[in-house]
Short mmCIF file of all heavy atoms in Angstrom, two decimals:
data_model
loop_
_atom_site.label_atom_id
_atom_site.label_comp_id
_atom_site.label_asym_id
_atom_site.label_seq_id
_atom_site.Cartn_x
_atom_site.Cartn_y
_atom_site.Cartn_z
N VAL A 155 -44.53 0.27 6.82
CA VAL A 155 -45.95 0.32 6.44
C VAL A 155 -46.77 -0.53 7.40
O VAL A 155 -47.85 -0.13 7.85
CB VAL A 155 -46.14 -0.16 4.99
CG1 VAL A 155 -47.64 -0.28 4.66
CG2 VAL A 155 -45.47 0.79 4.00
N LEU A 156 -46.28 -1.71 7.74
CA LEU A 156 -47.02 -2.62 8.63
C LEU A 156 -47.28 -2.01 10.00
O LEU A 156 -48.28 -2.34 10.65
CB LEU A 156 -46.25 -3.93 8.80
CG LEU A 156 -46.32 -4.92 7.63
CD1 LEU A 156 -45.43 -6.12 7.91
CD2 LEU A 156 -47.75 -5.38 7.38
N THR A 157 -46.39 -1.14 10.46
CA THR A 157 -46.58 -0.55 11.79
C THR A 157 -47.82 0.34 11.86
O THR A 157 -48.29 0.64 12.96
CB THR A 157 -45.35 0.28 12.21
OG1 THR A 157 -45.16 1.38 11.30
CG2 THR A 157 -44.10 -0.59 12.23
N PHE A 158 -48.36 0.74 10.70
CA PHE A 158 -49.55 1.59 10.69
C PHE A 158 -50.84 0.79 10.63
O PHE A 158 -51.92 1.36 10.51
CB PHE A 158 -49.49 2.59 9.52
CG PHE A 158 -48.41 3.62 9.66
CD1 PHE A 158 -47.21 3.49 8.98
CD2 PHE A 158 -48.56 4.70 10.53
CE1 PHE A 158 -46.20 4.43 9.11
CE2 PHE A 158 -47.57 5.65 10.67
CZ PHE A 158 -46.39 5.52 9.97
N PHE A 159 -50.73 -0.55 10.69
CA PHE A 159 -51.90 -1.41 10.73
C PHE A 159 -52.09 -2.00 12.12
O PHE A 159 -51.13 -2.13 12.90
CB PHE A 159 -51.76 -2.57 9.72
CG PHE A 159 -51.82 -2.14 8.29
CD1 PHE A 159 -50.83 -2.51 7.39
CD2 PHE A 159 -52.87 -1.37 7.82
CE1 PHE A 159 -50.88 -2.13 6.07
CE2 PHE A 159 -52.93 -0.97 6.50
CZ PHE A 159 -51.93 -1.36 5.62
N ASP A 160 -53.33 -2.38 12.43
CA ASP A 160 -53.61 -3.07 13.69
C ASP A 160 -52.93 -4.43 13.68
O ASP A 160 -52.61 -5.00 12.63
CB ASP A 160 -55.12 -3.23 13.88
CG ASP A 160 -55.83 -1.90 14.08
OD1 ASP A 160 -55.16 -0.95 14.53
OD2 ASP A 160 -57.03 -1.82 13.76
N GLU A 161 -52.75 -4.99 14.87
CA GLU A 161 -52.04 -6.26 15.01
C GLU A 161 -52.70 -7.38 14.20
O GLU A 161 -52.00 -8.18 13.56
CB GLU A 161 -51.97 -6.65 16.49
CG GLU A 161 -51.12 -7.88 16.76
CD GLU A 161 -50.96 -8.16 18.24
OE1 GLU A 161 -51.55 -7.40 19.05
OE2 GLU A 161 -50.27 -9.12 18.60
N ASN A 162 -54.03 -7.43 14.21
CA ASN A 162 -54.70 -8.51 13.47
C ASN A 162 -54.53 -8.36 11.97
O ASN A 162 -54.44 -9.35 11.23
CB ASN A 162 -56.19 -8.55 13.83
CG ASN A 162 -56.92 -7.27 13.47
OD1 ASN A 162 -56.37 -6.18 13.56
ND2 ASN A 162 -58.17 -7.38 13.06
N VAL A 163 -54.46 -7.13 11.48
CA VAL A 163 -54.23 -6.90 10.05
C VAL A 163 -52.81 -7.30 9.69
O VAL A 163 -52.57 -7.94 8.66
CB VAL A 163 -54.50 -5.43 9.67
CG1 VAL A 163 -54.17 -5.18 8.20
CG2 VAL A 163 -55.95 -5.06 9.97
N ARG A 164 -51.84 -6.91 10.53
CA ARG A 164 -50.45 -7.30 10.28
C ARG A 164 -50.32 -8.81 10.16
O ARG A 164 -49.62 -9.33 9.29
CB ARG A 164 -49.54 -6.81 11.41
CG ARG A 164 -49.20 -5.34 11.36
CD ARG A 164 -47.98 -5.03 12.19
NE ARG A 164 -48.17 -5.28 13.60
CZ ARG A 164 -48.52 -4.36 14.49
NH1 ARG A 164 -48.75 -3.13 14.10
NH2 ARG A 164 -48.67 -4.67 15.76
N LEU A 165 -51.01 -9.52 11.05
CA LEU A 165 -50.93 -10.98 11.04
C LEU A 165 -51.46 -11.55 9.72
O LEU A 165 -50.80 -12.37 9.08
CB LEU A 165 -51.71 -11.57 12.22
CG LEU A 165 -51.85 -13.09 12.25
CD1 LEU A 165 -50.47 -13.75 12.30
CD2 LEU A 165 -52.71 -13.52 13.43
N GLU A 166 -52.65 -11.09 9.31
CA GLU A 166 -53.24 -11.64 8.09
C GLU A 166 -52.39 -11.31 6.87
O GLU A 166 -52.17 -12.17 6.00
CB GLU A 166 -54.66 -11.11 7.89
CG GLU A 166 -55.32 -11.67 6.63
CD GLU A 166 -56.81 -11.45 6.58
OE1 GLU A 166 -57.34 -10.72 7.44
OE2 GLU A 166 -57.45 -12.02 5.67
N VAL A 167 -51.88 -10.08 6.81
CA VAL A 167 -51.06 -9.69 5.66
C VAL A 167 -49.77 -10.51 5.61
O VAL A 167 -49.39 -11.02 4.55
CB VAL A 167 -50.73 -8.18 5.72
CG1 VAL A 167 -49.67 -7.82 4.68
CG2 VAL A 167 -52.00 -7.35 5.49
N MET A 168 -49.11 -10.70 6.75
CA MET A 168 -47.86 -11.44 6.75
C MET A 168 -48.08 -12.92 6.46
O MET A 168 -47.23 -13.57 5.83
CB MET A 168 -47.14 -11.26 8.08
CG MET A 168 -46.47 -9.89 8.23
SD MET A 168 -45.24 -9.57 6.94
CE MET A 168 -43.99 -10.77 7.37
#
Side-chain angles (χ1 to χ4, degrees):
V155 173
L156 283 176
T157 63
F158 292 101
F159 291 128
D160 293 335
E161 186 175 2
N162 61 324
V163 176
R164 283 199 295 265
L165 174 60
E166 180 165 9
V167 169
M168 285 301 292

